[in-house]
Amino acid sequence: MNTSEIGVFLKNKRKDNNLTQLNVAEYLNVSPQAVSKWERLECLPDITLLPEIAKLYQISVQDIINSGTVQNDINSN
Protein backbone atom coordinates (compact mmCIF):
# COMPACT_ATOMS: atom_id res chain seq x y z
CA MET A 1 0.00 0.00 0.00
CA ASN A 2 1.40 3.36 -1.03
CA THR A 3 -0.55 5.95 0.93
CA SER A 4 0.69 8.83 -1.22
CA GLU A 5 -0.97 7.24 -4.26
CA ILE A 6 -4.37 6.66 -2.66
CA GLY A 7 -5.38 10.32 -2.87
CA VAL A 8 -4.35 10.54 -6.51
CA PHE A 9 -6.24 7.32 -7.25
CA LEU A 10 -9.39 8.62 -5.53
CA LYS A 11 -9.19 11.91 -7.42
CA ASN A 12 -8.84 10.07 -10.73
CA LYS A 13 -11.79 7.78 -9.92
CA ARG A 14 -13.91 10.81 -9.02
CA LYS A 15 -13.07 12.51 -12.29
CA ASP A 16 -13.57 9.27 -14.27
CA ASN A 17 -17.10 9.18 -12.84
CA ASN A 18 -17.75 12.85 -13.65
CA LEU A 19 -18.33 13.71 -10.00
CA THR A 20 -17.45 16.83 -8.07
CA GLN A 21 -15.94 16.83 -4.61
CA LEU A 22 -19.33 18.05 -3.40
CA ASN A 23 -21.09 15.06 -5.04
CA VAL A 24 -18.71 12.66 -3.30
CA ALA A 25 -18.99 14.48 0.02
CA GLU A 26 -22.79 14.38 -0.06
CA TYR A 27 -22.83 10.68 -0.94
CA LEU A 28 -20.44 9.87 1.92
CA ASN A 29 -21.96 12.37 4.35
CA VAL A 30 -18.64 14.16 4.86
CA SER A 31 -17.55 17.70 4.09
CA PRO A 32 -16.21 18.68 0.67
CA GLN A 33 -13.10 19.82 2.52
CA ALA A 34 -12.53 16.24 3.70
CA VAL A 35 -12.64 14.97 0.11
CA SER A 36 -10.25 17.75 -0.90
CA LYS A 37 -7.81 16.79 1.86
CA TRP A 38 -7.77 13.17 0.67
CA GLU A 39 -7.03 14.26 -2.86
CA ARG A 40 -4.30 16.69 -1.77
CA LEU A 41 -2.63 13.90 0.25
CA GLU A 42 -3.15 15.73 3.56
CA CYS A 43 -4.92 12.73 5.07
CA LEU A 44 -6.64 9.48 4.15
CA PRO A 45 -10.33 8.66 4.36
CA ASP A 46 -11.48 6.93 7.50
CA ILE A 47 -11.31 3.18 7.10
CA THR A 48 -15.05 2.92 7.78
CA LEU A 49 -15.70 4.95 4.60
CA LEU A 50 -13.78 2.64 2.28
CA PRO A 51 -16.71 0.30 1.52
CA GLU A 52 -18.94 3.25 0.60
CA ILE A 53 -16.21 4.85 -1.52
CA ALA A 54 -15.71 1.52 -3.29
CA LYS A 55 -19.45 1.23 -3.88
CA LEU A 56 -19.63 4.76 -5.29
CA TYR A 57 -16.83 4.10 -7.79
CA GLN A 58 -17.86 0.47 -8.44
CA ILE A 59 -14.50 -0.88 -7.37
CA SER A 60 -13.29 -2.98 -4.44
CA VAL A 61 -11.84 -1.78 -1.16
CA GLN A 62 -8.70 -3.64 -2.19
CA ASP A 63 -8.51 -1.49 -5.32
CA ILE A 64 -8.47 1.60 -3.11
CA ILE A 65 -5.83 0.19 -0.79
CA ASN A 66 -3.67 -0.80 -3.77
CA SER A 67 -4.37 2.48 -5.56
CA GLY A 68 -5.62 0.52 -8.52
CA THR A 69 -2.41 -1.42 -9.06
CA VAL A 70 -2.14 -5.19 -9.02
CA GLN A 71 -0.22 -6.42 -6.02
CA ASN A 72 1.76 -9.66 -6.09
CA ASP A 73 0.84 -12.24 -3.51
CA ILE A 74 3.65 -12.48 -0.95
CA ASN A 75 3.30 -16.27 -0.87
CA SER A 76 3.57 -16.77 -4.62
CA ASN A 77 6.86 -17.81 -6.18
Side-chain angles (χ1 to χ4, degrees):
M1 175 173 72
N2 186 340
T3 57
S4 66
E5 293 179 2
I6 291 175
V8 173
F9 177 72
L10 292 175
K11 181 177 183 177
N12 290 337
K13 293 308 291 181
R14 177 178 61 77
K15 289 184 174 191
D16 289 347
N17 285 276
N18 296 314
L19 297 170
T20 65
Q21 289 179 344
L22 180 60
N23 297 141
V24 174
E26 288 175 346
Y27 180 84
L28 297 172
N29 199 28
V30 299
S31 71
Q33 292 84 355
V35 177
S36 176
K37 285 183 178 183
W38 305 336
E39 293 181 0
R40 289 183 287 133
L41 312 177
E42 290 184 17
C43 64
L44 293 172
D46 188 276
I47 193 167
T48 61
L49 292 174
L50 294 183
E52 287 302 310
I53 295 170
K55 181 179 173 184
L56 175 63
Y57 297 141
Q58 300 178 346
I59 58 175
S60 70
V61 170
Q62 194 66 38
D63 288 333
I64 297 170
I65 293 170
N66 294 333
S67 304
T69 60
V70 176
Q71 300 292 313
N72 291 329
D73 184 358
I74 293 174
N75 297 321
S76 66
N77 290 325

